[in-house]
Amino acid sequence: MFSNDLGIDLGTANTVIYVKGKGIVLDEPSVVAIDMNSNEVLAVGEDAQGMIGRTPGHIIAMRPLKDGVIADYEATRIMLKYFINKVKSKARIVTRPRVLICVPTGVTDVEKRAVLEATQTSGAGVGYVYLIEESMAAAIGAGLPIERATGSMVVDIGGGTSEVAVLSLAGIVTSRSLDMAGEELDEAVITYVKREHGVAIGERTAEELKKSIGCICNTDFKEEREIRGRDVITGLPRNFTINMGEAAQAIAEPVSAIVDAVKFTLEKTPPELSADIIEYGIVLTGGGALLKGLDELVVKETGISVKIADNPLYCVVNGTGMVLQHLKHLKNVLTTSKTLKV
């Protein structure tokens, strides 16, 4: 196994790349800015992220992935080329690295093929391309004993999808994937603020608000934030305050959908594995795991203990790194035996 293999968490919100032997070397927004007049790519990643909501009409700052799958094939290809070449330069990789890339659990063969081909034809000079399901990578990155005949449950809440899975003997026994995650939480905040305060805010402001005072348990109404937006009636800028209780109300519906997915997965779990999950608990990974009070809500709704993984934001990509370290031994965790080579 080459020491420069790449593990890629290709997320709706962020792309994170792990280099074998070096660790995580890139974590940037999955955004591409394109000049529609000339069809020229102006920026990718962090530079493009700064353009969202601030561009003239002929420039579009877009996310090429939607709900964890490719929505714009060409933009995804361009983005992958930029990120992989940046990593190769930073890590001084001169050979053609093999790539292990994550896909949402339960994606179609067509969607898998799109990821494989976008990576293969990106022009970044890669070798073999493998796929792994996000929930499997998250479980491995969280240190769950996925190879044992013991039930392990992981809930990975990313930017575009939430993945709930029960694993045993290096396989996914039952799972649930839903398009309800970080982006939907941001949209819920935007909708709430517009409805209750009459102010339009952007997705970056909504995300900052969610991170700062977003909470499931709304017992503390005192903590609040002042934010700025555009009055929907006058069209003029306006400041207003929103407290933690309102933030909890804003995100209640999408959070409820995520908890329902956990309960649905538990209902479909074989009794023997259910007993293991009761004993060992549920592990939360992904950025959504950091939402205040989410672990307490899952405990309340399921009666099962919940643990937030160490470094939950990077469980998925760290899982790819661990698979790369032991690819021969863990090859059965890949979603397909078919690989592509340029």
Side-chain angles (χ1 to χ4, degrees):
M1 181 59 58
F2 303 133
S3 62
N4 54 18
D5 293 336
L6 307 182
I8 303 179
D9 178 7
L10 184 63
T12 303
N14 286 75
T15 295
V16 189
I17 301 183
Y18 180 106
V19 176
K20 185 182 174 186
K22 298 181 183 294
I24 297 170
V25 297
L26 181 138
D27 179 4
E28 293 199 30
S30 301
V31 182
V32 178
I34 300 175
D35 186 327
M36 301 305 292
N37 290 340
S38 62
N39 207 30
E40 178 187 359
V41 176
L42 302 178
V44 178
E46 290 179 351
D47 294 336
Q49 170 82 356
M51 298 182 181
I52 291 180
R54 298 175 176 175
T55 61
H58 66 283
I59 296 176
I60 296 178
M62 61 178 293
R63 298 187 186 276
L65 288 101
K66 178 68 175 174
D67 299 331
V69 297
I70 294 176
D72 188 306
Y73 181 85
E74 186 60 27
T76 302
R77 219 171 53 80
I78 291 168
M79 185 177 73
L80 280 168
K81 179 180 181 180
Y82 174 85
F83 286 152
I84 292 173
N85 281 335
K86 187 172 183 178
V87 166
K88 288 173 70 175
S89 175
K90 185 181 294 187
R92 298 181 180 179
I93 298 173
V94 295
T95 58
R96 301 165 77 86
R98 283 177 281 193
V99 175
L100 176 60
I101 192 165
C102 297
V103 293
T105 305
V107 296
T108 66
D109 289 340
V110 173
E111 290 166 337
K112 289 179 184 178
R113 188 74 187 179
V115 174
L116 284 167
E117 291 186 350
T119 309
Q120 179 196 32
T121 63
S122 64
V126 298
Y128 283 102
V129 182
Y130 305 88
L131 298 181
I132 185 172
E133 290 178 318
E134 286 178 11
S135 52
M136 177 64 76
I140 294 171
L144 296 180
I146 58 106
E147 291 189 280
R148 291 166 48 188
T150 303
S152 299
M153 187 170 191
V154 63
V155 180
D156 180 57
I157 306 170
T161 61
S162 292
E163 311 277 334
V164 186
V166 174
L167 307 99
S168 179
L169 292 172
I172 295 176
V173 179
T174 183
S175 65
R176 179 85 163 175
S177 179
L178 68 158
D179 305 334
M180 193 68 68
E183 283 194 338
E184 283 65 31
L185 293 174
D186 296 341
E187 285 295 328
V189 172
I190 292 170
T191 301
Y192 179 89
V193 168
K194 187 174 183 179
R195 183 180 68 243
E196 300 297 326
H197 293 273
V199 177
I201 61 174
E203 61 182 69
R204 294 182 68 182
T205 300
E207 183 178 14
E208 290 169 5
L209 182 62
K210 176 190 68 179
K211 289 180 177 179
S212 62
I213 64 170
C215 181
I216 309 304
C217 303
N218 57 0
T219 54
D220 182 4
F221 288 87
K222 295 181 181 179
E223 186 174 355
E224 59 183 24
R225 291 288 183 275
E226 182 180 62
I227 57 177
R228 301 177 179 86
R230 176 174 53 81
D231 192 295
V232 296
I233 296 177
T234 66
L236 299 175
R238 177 154 74 87
N239 293 352
F240 69 99
T241 59
I242 183 170
N243 61 44
M244 183 176 281
E246 289 185 282
Q249 293 177 46
I251 60 178
E253 187 174 339
V255 167
S256 178
I258 294 170
V259 174
D260 285 345
V262 175
K263 293 161 71 174
F264 174 86
T265 307
L266 285 169
E267 290 169 3
K268 300 295 182 182
T269 302
E272 292 81 3
L273 298 183
S274 294
D276 294 334
I277 294 169
I278 291 172
E279 181 177 355
Y280 299 112
I282 300 169
V283 176
L284 301 183
T285 67
L290 299 175
L291 194 61
K292 300 181 186 76
L294 179 59
D295 53 343
E296 297 172 21
L297 180 63
V298 176
V299 171
K300 178 182 176 181
E301 293 292 325
T302 65
I304 300 172
S305 63
V306 174
K307 175 189 175 184
I308 299 173
D310 295 333
N311 204 4
L313 284 168
Y314 298 118
C315 280
V316 171
V317 75
N318 282 332
T320 66
M322 294 173 71
V323 174
L324 289 171
Q325 293 283 350
H326 309 283
L327 188 56
K328 185 176 181 180
H329 179 57
L330 292 174
K331 204 164 187 178
N332 57 332
V333 305
L334 304 180
T335 66
T336 175
S337 59
K338 181 181 288 186
T339 57
L340 294 179
K341 183 181 179 182
V342 188

